[in-house]
Amino acid sequence: MEILQRIQLLSEIAAGALNLVFPTRCPGCERIDTVGFCQDCRRMLEWIERKSACQRCGASGMSSQRIRGNACPACHNRNYKTTQAAAVLKYSGPLVPAIIRWKYRNQEKLTAVFAELMVDWITMQAPDWWEKIDYIVPAPHHPSTVRNRGFNPPEEIAGIIASRFAIPFLPRILFKIRMTAPQVRLKGDERFANLHESMHVFDKSMLEGKRVLIIDDVMTTGATMNECARAILCGGAEKVYGLVLARQSDSH
Ligand SMILES: [Zn+2]
Ligand SMILES: [Zn+2]
């Protein structure tokens, strides 16, 4: 084979491999020939600053007077189990169609794009977490939901983050033990009641005295994160932190 043909072949293989990992359309606006979000969409992503967000539900954009005891008004009367929960981006702008494509149209390749956004946020805003965390655990879905969808978004994203920061990953420790009504139809406190005792840790010996980071895709009231944390603490863990890709406002 001629050397130029070899180079051509190798570059096609490399492009094919890249295409397996990263999509070549922008997940926000579907512009072609971009890796991840295009520049225009990237500029519209709304990053959440950890310092000015509620430490319980990840809500952003509040003045320091409204955040009392590190919690926003909606969280003052809720007994959250997480030591701290944070969100990387607001569920807004080009992130919305991108997440819909990822979760509901099974564009699994977008996992790598979202994982990199979360890695960037952690590196900039929460570098202190990595000395504190013993394990990363994904928020679980019921097995039938995973079967229907064909993949498990929080598990995929958490696996990439764990490997990037070399933190042990436990994808099979926390289980959803009963189906629950879709959270989207419920309001505030109903979401917490709907999920109560819906999750369970099967191997408690792993968690004794450990500090665990739970990773999920989208957070609204923090009810799912809270139920994950309750089960992990029942399993003997010392502290639970939470991180989600996107924070959706309660009014949605
Ligand atoms: Zn775009
Ligand atoms: Zn809050």
Side-chain angles (χ1 to χ4, degrees), residues 46-72:
E46 294 190 84
W47 297 86
I48 294 178
E49 200 191 2
R50 183 180 164 203
K51 279 188 292 192
S52 62
C54 172
Q55 306 286 298
R56 299 281 173 256
C57 72
S60 64
M62 273 161 294
S63 65
S64 53
Q65 291 91 339
R66 291 198 73 204
I67 297 191
R68 183 155 48 90
N70 291 331
C72 73

Side-chain angles (χ1 to χ4, degrees), residues 84-116:
Q84 193 176 95
V88 170
L89 294 158
K90 284 192 200 174
Y91 187 80
S92 67
L95 191 63
V96 176
I99 287 181
I100 290 169
R101 287 187 180 107
W102 179 47
K103 287 182 69 173
Y104 303 108
R105 298 193 197 143
N106 294 352
Q107 292 196 12
E108 201 174 339
K109 285 192 288 185
L110 292 178
T111 302
V113 174
F114 295 131
E116 288 311 312

Side-chain angles (χ1 to χ4, degrees), residues 2-85:
E2 290 287 325
I3 187 78
L4 283 176
Q5 282 176 306
R6 280 175 191 249
I7 291 170
Q8 173 74 21
L9 183 63
L10 282 173
S11 71
E12 279 171 16
I13 291 169
L18 194 66
N19 195 27
L20 282 176
V21 180
F22 287 106
T24 50
R25 270 179 193 275
C26 169
C29 67
E30 295 209 281
R31 183 177 297 174
I32 56 171
D33 289 334
T34 68
V35 175
F37 284 98
C38 71
Q39 280 195 353
D40 289 345
C41 285
R42 195 167 260 273
R43 272 196 288 271
M44 286 190 281
L45 294 175
E46 294 190 84
W47 297 86
I48 294 178
E49 200 191 2
R50 183 180 164 203
K51 279 188 292 192
S52 62
C54 172
Q55 306 286 298
R56 299 281 173 256
C57 72
S60 64
M62 273 161 294
S63 65
S64 53
Q65 291 91 339
R66 291 198 73 204
I67 297 191
R68 183 155 48 90
N70 291 331
C72 73
C75 290
H76 285 159
N77 299 323
R78 287 195 181 130
N79 179 23
Y80 281 96
K81 306 296 183 192
T82 41
T83 295
Q84 193 176 95

